[in-house]
Amino acid sequence: MVEQLRSELEKQEVTLVAVSKTRSNDQIMELYNGGQRIFGENRVQELVRKYNELPKDITWHLIGHLQSNKVKQIAPFIDLIHSVDSLKLLKEINKQAKVHQRKIKVLLQMHIAEEESKYGLLAEELKEIWKALSNGELDNILICGLMGMATFTSDQDKLKLEFTNLKNLFDSLIDNPVLTNDFKIRSMGMSGDYKLAIAHGSNMVRIGSLLFR
Ligand SMILES: *Cc1c(COP(=O)(O)O)cnc(C)c1O
């Protein structure tokens, strides 16, 4: 299953993040043995435990909300943080990255869903981030793209609009001089809507339930 999905996605130049939250080490190893190396977790404690217990050639992504006081626990090893939703958090990630003498890759999580409960930055809030970047306050951060969580709905038109909004925002930022060639990821789409997300501009999908069952 995982091989087939990954090769289908590879043909479209889309990266598969296997969302392994709540899954056991054995379940993760099944996918690992099918060649999967990128896994996403949404909670720091569970992520750190799995990082310690599982093979070291796994690339871990944090996809869930991150509190500033937990950044230090993942700073030594995290590959990509999808869920950066404030400048304050970005500054803390920068600080901890410096401690470990590395650069940490992040995505800016944008608020694309109409639902009020979802986390994410508004486009206006990006300005202060660009300012901090150009002032050299974030030298240990690599801004690698955007992430969006669509509304939990089966309304295809609504989903399409939300995905398209994120893609358009991404396109409008590509020429921003504070960003580098690292800015290329559009993380959107989950088990239920990944095909639609890809059709509307995603190049990184986060899939859990479809892979683990
Ligand atoms: C759980 C989760 C997913 C995966 O959802 P599935 O429907 O199981 O594919 C993707 N993104 C985030 C942020 C999640 O928390």
Side-chain angles (χ1 to χ4, degrees):
M1 173 64 201
V2 71
E3 287 101 325
Q4 197 185 326
L5 179 61
R6 201 172 48 247
S7 83
E8 176 198 315
L9 295 173
E10 259 165 24
K11 279 185 220 137
Q12 306 171 79
E13 295 181 26
V14 174
T15 302
L16 171 63
V17 179
V19 176
S20 50
K21 65 186 185 208
T22 75
R23 311 296 172 174
S24 69
N25 290 357
D26 286 350
Q27 285 176 296
I28 294 172
M29 283 311 292
E30 256 179 62
L31 265 59
Y32 179 92
N33 292 332
Q36 182 66 21
R37 290 294 180 274
I38 307 175
F39 290 89
E41 289 283 332
N42 68 341
R43 299 173 78 211
V44 167
Q45 200 181 354
E46 188 175 343
L47 170 61
V48 171
R49 179 178 60 74
K50 288 174 177 173
Y51 167 74
N52 286 321
E53 293 173 359
L54 290 163
K56 288 296 174 284
D57 62 341
I58 290 179
T59 300
W60 293 100
H61 289 192
L62 186 77
I63 60 171
H65 184 67
L66 176 60
Q67 288 171 294
S68 296
N69 62 4
K70 296 197 172 159
V71 174
K72 30 166 130 42
Q73 298 180 50
I74 59 170
F77 70 88
I78 195 73
D79 182 67
L80 180 65
I81 302 173
H82 289 230
S83 42
V84 170
D85 61 358
S86 72
L87 177 57
K88 174 175 173 258
L89 178 59
L90 215 39
K91 285 183 175 168
E92 178 62 19
I93 296 169
N94 186 65
K95 184 175 149 195
Q96 297 302 332
K98 223 175 253 172
V99 170
H100 295 279
Q101 294 173 298
R102 58 188 299 247
K103 289 194 178 211
I104 295 183
K105 297 189 282 178
V106 306
L107 304 180
L108 301 173
Q109 181 173 358
M110 302 307 301
H111 184 101
I112 58 169
E114 279 175 31
E115 289 171 314
E116 302 236 328
S117 62
K118 295 265 160 88
Y119 294 106
L121 289 154
L122 300 172
E124 306 89 85
E125 296 177 277
L126 292 174
K127 291 201 188 80
E128 55 172 17
I129 294 177
W130 307 152
K131 202 163 150 202
L133 269 174
S134 60
N135 289 343
E137 292 173 63
L138 300 172
D139 286 350
N140 289 68
I141 298 274
L142 293 174
I143 308 257
C144 295
L146 304 180
M147 184 268 226
M149 289 269 284
T151 304
F152 188 71
T153 176
S154 55
D155 180 342
Q156 302 291 295
D157 288 336
K158 186 170 198 164
L159 289 169
K160 179 178 150 184
L161 185 69
E162 293 178 358
F163 293 142
T164 303
N165 284 341
L166 190 98
K167 174 64 162 66
N168 289 343
L169 177 65
F170 179 93
D171 289 343
S172 75
L173 295 172
I174 215 90
D175 291 328
N176 187 330
V178 298
L179 296 171
T180 64
N181 291 337
D182 299 305
F183 190 79
K184 57 190 172 208
I185 299 174
R186 300 173 298 273
S187 166
M188 48 184 188
M190 323 201 311
S191 293
D193 58 16
Y194 76 94
K195 287 184 181 157
L196 195 68
I198 293 168
H200 297 285
S202 168
N203 61 7
M204 181 175 279
V205 292
R206 308 176 307 266
I207 297 187
S209 41
L210 191 67
L211 288 173
F212 291 97
R213 52 177 182 194

